[in-house]
Amino acid sequence: MKNVVVFGTFDPLHAGHEYLFSEAKKLGDCLIVVVARDAAIRSQKNREPHVLEEKRLQAVSQVASVDKTVLGDSDPSEYSLLKELSFDCIALGYDQSPSDEEVKKILHAIGKDSAEIARLPAYKPDQYKSSLIRAA
């Protein structure tokens, strides 16, 4: 069984994210979605979450293509959850940081060199982008 993992804030969840999930699911058998904690949004994005973590986690868990949801690390730079999770592929959004090269370095540092990295295409980014939706 091939596990695919996706990370994000999903703040708020929208059709672009649902497209990301459906494309990521095509890469394996089980899609695990890691939802960023409120503390991580505050520290990484320097803003308050629009939707609190438990509501975002619940919304993501309702998406048909998602098999498992978990809350991320309070400090994502520690990669504790990434070390714990069993996965074969990390699927990243078209505009998601870090770069593929940085992800390769992180995977190497935590002993998961065999995991593949997939960069997924955008779905109507002029319409479905969280920052645009929050600004509306």
Side-chain angles (χ1 to χ4, degrees):
M1 189 152 142
K2 185 175 180 182
N3 293 332
V4 179
V5 67
V6 172
F7 291 82
T9 58
F10 314 113
D11 186 32
L13 181 66
H14 55 69
H17 295 134
E18 292 178 18
Y19 176 79
L20 173 78
F21 300 154
S22 68
E23 291 299 299
K25 178 70 178 212
K26 292 175 185 176
L27 300 172
D29 305 299
C30 177
L31 178 61
I32 304 163
V33 179
V34 179
V35 176
R37 291 197 174 265
D38 294 344
I41 292 174
R42 290 181 188 108
S43 67
Q44 301 284 310
K45 298 190 180 253
N46 298 315
R47 66 171 178 81
E48 286 296 312
H50 183 73
V51 179
L52 296 178
E53 63 189 33
E54 289 297 330
K55 294 255 185 214
R56 289 183 286 113
L57 184 73
Q58 181 181 25
V60 170
S61 72
Q62 299 301 311
V63 177
S65 56
V66 175
D67 296 299
K68 180 179 177 180
T69 54
V70 293
L71 284 172
D73 294 320
S74 292
D75 180 357
S77 65
E78 292 179 2
Y79 307 112
S80 300
L81 185 60
L82 200 58
K83 291 174 191 173
E84 293 172 21
L85 286 174
S86 174
F87 61 93
D88 306 288
C89 177
I90 291 183
L92 300 165
Y94 73 101
D95 64 345
Q96 196 168 10
S97 297
S99 70
D100 293 4
E101 284 306 312
E102 282 299 309
V103 173
K104 285 179 189 175
K105 289 178 187 174
I106 293 163
L107 291 173
H108 177 73
I110 64 171
K112 297 201 177 197
D113 295 283
S114 63
E116 70 180 86
I117 300 165
R119 186 66 66 169
L120 300 175
Y123 175 73
K124 300 182 182 179
D126 54 332
Q127 186 178 358
Y128 296 112
K129 190 156 178 77
S130 296
S131 56
L132 295 173
I133 294 169
R134 282 191 309 272

